[in-house]
Amino acid sequence: MIQLKQLSRVFRTDEVETTALDKIDLNVEEGEFVAVMGPSGCGKSTLLSILGMLDSPSGGEYRFAGEDISSYSEKRLADVRKRSVGFVFQSFNLVDDLTVAENVELPLQYQGVPKAERSERVREILARFQIDGRSGHLPQQLSGGQQQRVAVARALVIKPRLVLADEPTGNLDSKNGEDVMEMLTALNNAGTTVIMVTHSEHDARYAKRIVRLFDGRIASDKSEAPVRLAG
């Protein structure tokens, strides 16, 4: 699904040049669950932004689903992103003045999905994540765990091929964090590719593969035996 070849990202100002990613080679197959780890400043967030087509590489090649998208225009990247990629963020990134249902519906509106289908898909996914009873609530009326459930539901309502999760349990207590990791694992078991940036060795154990970055380069890339869900 994803092929990175000699991919680099350099940030430049008038006086400073910073290499965030340094000629990375990385392949991710469809259906994998990959954790990306490393110290602060090693390039994890930059890598996730490029994988999610929110940023563009300075050099090298990025192939998504067989297509070289390195030189795509912003409009073309946005079209691919809204069809194929779901995002889950540490800070939830919910819209404060929209209800739970409206937040989850938003990416379907961007896709131009008809209203009746939008309503049905939102209803189904809120029930799946057991937050349908909160559909009319605003984000600030929810607990942190409930907000992250909404964020996961919003990411999945478009039925993405790829989910990118940036420290998805970072603002949660251990119980709610475990719930989110089990959601991502179940999603991956159903066939969706998941790439997660995390500082947590515990959360990384849910992945089938751990890629460690250091100074913008891949320091190690190992397959793992993931945590198995009970039942």
Side-chain angles (χ1 to χ4, degrees), residues 4 9 31 48 64 76 81 93 115 123 150 159 178 195:
L4 307 183
R9 181 65 172 103
L48 209 68
F64 181 81
R76 196 170 178 190
R81 185 170 60 237
N93 283 13
K115 183 172 177 55
R123 185 192 64 76
V150 176
K159 301 177 181 177
E178 207 79 21
I195 301 177

Side-chain angles (χ1 to χ4, degrees), residues 1-2 26 28 32-36 47-48 51 162-166 193-197:
M1 170 183 270
I2 288 171
L26 179 69
V28 178
E32 282 199 272
F33 188 164
V34 180
V36 179
L47 176 61
L48 209 68
L51 292 177
L162 171 66
V163 167
L164 300 175
D166 189 1
T193 307
V194 178
I195 301 177
M196 172 183 68
V197 161

Side-chain angles (χ1 to χ4, degrees), residues 127-147:
R128 174 179 167 188
F129 287 107
Q130 300 177 342
I131 45 175
D132 44 326
R134 303 278 182 170
S135 63
H137 288 60
L138 296 173
Q140 59 266 32
Q141 296 173 306
L142 306 178
S143 68
Q146 289 169 333
Q147 288 186 57

Side-chain angles (χ1 to χ4, degrees), residues 104 125-126 129 131 148-158:
V104 174
I125 203 155
L126 291 182
F129 287 107
I131 45 175
Q148 192 60 299
R149 283 177 179 269
V150 176
V152 174
R154 181 184 58 188
L156 301 190
V157 75
I158 65 168

Side-chain angles (χ1 to χ4, degrees), residues 23-175:
K23 297 181 179 178
I24 280 183
D25 292 326
L26 179 69
N27 291 338
V28 178
E29 300 296 331
E30 191 133 18
E32 282 199 272
F33 188 164
V34 180
V36 179
M37 303 192 73
S40 296
C42 71
K44 301 187 302 297
S45 294
T46 300
L47 176 61
L48 209 68
S49 292
I50 290 174
L51 292 177
M53 305 166 211
L54 300 171
D55 191 13
S56 298
S58 304
E61 184 177 298
Y62 176 12
R63 300 185 74 86
F64 181 81
E67 295 289 325
D68 183 358
I69 65 170
S70 308
S71 59
Y72 276 19
S73 67
E74 177 51 42
K75 182 181 185 304
R76 196 170 178 190
L77 285 172
D79 287 342
V80 175
R81 185 170 60 237
K82 66 188 180 185
R83 286 196 315 270
S84 302
V85 185
F87 295 90
V88 181
F89 300 98
Q90 175 180 349
S91 55
F92 315 135
N93 283 13
L94 302 176
V95 180
D96 288 341
D97 57 355
L98 296 182
T99 66
V100 165
E102 290 167 343
N103 266 283
V104 174
E105 184 183 17
L106 206 54
L108 297 176
Q109 290 181 306
Y110 293 150
Q111 285 187 342
V113 175
K115 183 172 177 55
E117 183 181 346
R118 293 201 310 263
S119 298
E120 179 62 18
R121 283 169 67 173
V122 169
R123 185 192 64 76
E124 287 178 356
I125 203 155
L126 291 182
R128 174 179 167 188
F129 287 107
Q130 300 177 342
I131 45 175
D132 44 326
R134 303 278 182 170
S135 63
H137 288 60
L138 296 173
Q140 59 266 32
Q141 296 173 306
L142 306 178
S143 68
Q146 289 169 333
Q147 288 186 57
Q148 192 60 299
R149 283 177 179 269
V150 176
V152 174
R154 181 184 58 188
L156 301 190
V157 75
I158 65 168
K159 301 177 181 177
R161 298 180 64 181
L162 171 66
V163 167
L164 300 175
D166 189 1
E167 299 283 1
T169 68
N171 284 336
L172 302 177
D173 60 35
S174 59
K175 173 61 172 69

Side-chain angles (χ1 to χ4, degrees), residues 201-221:
E201 293 285 350
H202 175 271
D203 289 357
R205 289 181 57 237
Y206 283 85
K208 299 170 184 172
R209 178 177 165 199
I210 299 177
V211 174
R212 296 181 189 271
L213 297 184
F214 187 77
D215 286 348
R217 297 180 178 178
I218 294 178
S220 68
D221 184 348

